[in-house]
Amino acid sequence: MRGPAARQLALVALAGALVSTGAAAPPTGTTAPPAKVPVAVGYGGAVASVDADASAAGIAVLRSGGNAVDAAIATAAALGVTEPYSAGIGGGGYFVYYDARSHRVHTVDGRETAPATATEALFQENGLPIPFAEGQTSGLGVGVPGTPATWKSALDAWGTRPLDKLLKPAEKLARDGFTVDSTFRAQTELNQDRFKDFPATSKLFLPGGALPVVGSTFKNPDLAATYAELGRKGTGALYRGPIAEDIVRAVRTPPVDPAATRKVRAGDLTTGDLRAYATKRQDPTRVGYRGLDVYSMAPSSSGGTTVGEALNILERTDLSKLSEAQYLHRFIEASRISFADRGRWVGDPAAVRVPTRELLSQRFADSRACLIAPDRALTSPLAPGDPRNPAPCATTGKAAPTTYEGENTTHLTAADRWGNVVSYTLTIESTGGSAITVPGRGFLLNNELTDFSFVPAAPGVPDPNLPGPGKRPRSSMAPTIVLDDGRPVLAVGSPGGATIITTVLQTLIGHLDRGLPLVYAIAAPRASQRNQTTTELEPGLWNSPLRAELEAIGQGFRQNPEIGAATGVQRLPDGRWLAAAETSRRGGGSAMVVHPHGRP
């Protein structure tokens, strides 16, 4: 490894203080839940996710000889049980895979799609946008799920284990139950008013009308049966046949409690829409940064283009030598600029022209970087530049604010003994998705179509993210893999809606430029500027003297108690894997390796 990455072996000793014997999955057959620790180092492969049961499912697959793709799918299926408000087979996501044999990075776009009947007026009534809440909790916001098809695409291309074997740990977890923690209870409570209006959702998540008790066992036998059916018949069973019919019925005639007063709009999804769904295999985005190659997800996600543009903007500045205040100032401004360009240019490339190559050019980044001054902040909304015709320090057209994007999702990273790596972000959009549980099936449906702009972000400004037939809504998911001369250095990603982009960017530069061990780069207090009037700060920065230093040069702030929940894996120079997750956000994450105490 070259540059700051070469320092990581010495810094691992610092991170090692966080490692415990819980860094490996428990032996098969044990009933106690695995310990939850944020960092683990060892051989044989690694998995990091927000949940210990899910990470353990992935580690068990690696231990039995499966590869990183197999482990990622087993982990994702388990997250559908233990993180049902963030992800599951009712949603979609983006899968980024590094193949150690070819030294190439591949991606699968498993984003949800709009019905064939969708128009730009999908979320309008009499020419005006409907209230966001009426799009969020409705059949109208439900897109065709992409997660099961993503699993099939990844397994067909790179997996080594059959789907039924990979779903078994999640099926068992759903049938036998998992231990409720404070995060699961809090997320249930956040959704209590929505959930109680849907009998199938209330029965599952609010049994007897009460919130789940911390320490109790939560079971989902309907989901266990659904996983078993997918294992027998393949993921196509969700896109045609009885499961598909149940999904369509729940969308077109939302199963609402007759006593509910909530206005729940029906959607227009059909069985034809489900049958027509297909994932997209496509090239990743790629930028060079500090001599490394940074790969991520191309549109329909804006994650790769926006993180990539921001890295290109920062490339000309030695962030390692700046004061903490100036480092944060540069990070904030690069984020602001790249979000301005994202809003104008990025949408589903199947429906709109997206200048991906131009957005990721160093020439365009340099034309935008010159807007940054060390002694004053830019103001938002900032107008976009034109990547097709970069002009130094120029903006083009009218500024438009960044539209709202739900802040829940989940992310996992996995690596195996052969050096293959997966970075996978998956979601059902809002915490709790649409709040509609498919009756008898045990999973929530997404409300992903609310990621579309309900109306243009600003009058007279072209908006590439308006709804359309079969269109994928723009995403901010940014599963990322970093290579050095074709070899993996690290992989990282996060949930958090539009804050995903700033979380991934801040984690990357904290690790690569500031020399933080990966677990500390993940744990560092976060800022998120998304071309908005003020920048969000977590308490660690809000309560810091740095805030006053930045305010003195014109930065404005608002507080956010928690931004993102990242995970990552890193290849160390001695061949070991380091898995890292959150130390406290969302109750802390779970990092595990196959052999934490040395080679087998």
Side-chain angles (χ1 to χ4, degrees), residues 347-577:
D348 182 354
V352 296
R353 161 82 164 88
V354 182
T356 300
R357 181 178 60 82
E358 294 91 339
L359 282 167
L360 291 171
S361 72
Q362 191 63 50
R363 180 183 172 216
F364 179 57
D366 291 345
S367 78
R368 301 291 277 158
C370 63
L371 293 169
I372 301 174
D375 57 350
R376 68 180 184 278
L378 294 164
T379 57
S380 289
L382 181 73
D386 187 345
R388 303 164 304 178
N389 268 309
C393 304
T395 55
T396 302
K398 297 180 182 178
T402 298
T403 53
Y404 175 78
E405 195 173 322
E407 293 193 357
N408 220 317
T409 296
T410 196
H411 179 82
L412 65 95
T413 42
D416 62 33
R417 63 186 177 184
W418 300 282
N420 303 301
V421 181
V422 171
S423 186
Y424 183 21
T425 313
L426 57 161
T427 183
I428 59 171
E429 177 51 11
S430 300
T431 306
S434 65
I436 299 172
T437 297
V438 181
R441 299 298 182 177
F443 63 91
L444 286 157
L445 290 172
N446 69 83
N447 62 315
E448 211 65 59
L449 301 188
T450 61
D451 270 355
F452 284 123
S453 303
F454 283 24
V455 293
V461 178
D463 190 332
N465 191 41
L466 292 168
K471 191 175 179 181
R472 286 163 156 84
R474 180 174 61 209
S475 170
S476 295
M477 288 181 267
T480 299
I481 295 177
V482 181
L483 305 184
D484 182 358
D485 286 336
R487 307 286 179 177
V489 174
L490 73 141
V492 69
S494 177
T499 70
I500 292 171
I501 290 167
T502 55
T503 295
V504 169
L505 175 62
Q506 191 174 358
T507 302
L508 287 172
I509 62 177
H511 179 65
L512 298 175
D513 289 289
R514 306 294 281 185
L516 293 174
L518 183 58
V519 68
Y520 292 155
I522 287 171
R526 292 185 183 131
S528 183
Q529 168 53 241
R530 307 185 299 281
N531 199 24
Q532 296 176 327
T533 306
T534 53
T535 298
E536 292 180 1
L537 293 184
E538 286 188 327
L541 288 173
W542 180 266
N543 298 320
S544 163
L546 290 169
R547 177 161 67 99
E549 287 187 59
L550 292 165
E551 287 172 338
I553 58 174
Q555 296 286 1
F557 300 106
R558 67 189 188 277
Q559 191 170 183
N560 184 334
E562 187 174 279
I563 299 173
T567 71
V569 297
Q570 177 187 0
R571 186 73 155 180
L572 301 177
D574 64 358
R576 289 181 298 165
W577 287 108

Side-chain angles (χ1 to χ4, degrees), residues 314 327-335 502 505-506 509 527:
L314 295 169
Y327 157 71
L328 288 169
H329 172 64
R330 294 276 176 167
F331 158 67
I332 288 168
E333 298 299 74
S335 300
T502 55
L505 175 62
Q506 191 174 358
I509 62 177

Side-chain angles (χ1 to χ4, degrees), residues 25 34 47 52-62 70-71 74-76 78 166 169-170 173 592:
V47 177
D53 287 307
S55 295
I59 289 292
V61 168
L62 294 176
D70 304 323
T75 303
L166 301 178
L173 194 58
M592 296 183 182

Side-chain angles (χ1 to χ4, degrees), residues 237-251 271 274 438:
L238 187 131
Y239 297 95
R240 57 191 63 84
I243 300 178
E245 291 165 4
D246 289 346
I247 290 172
V248 168
R249 188 178 303 111
V251 170
T271 53
L274 269 74
V438 181

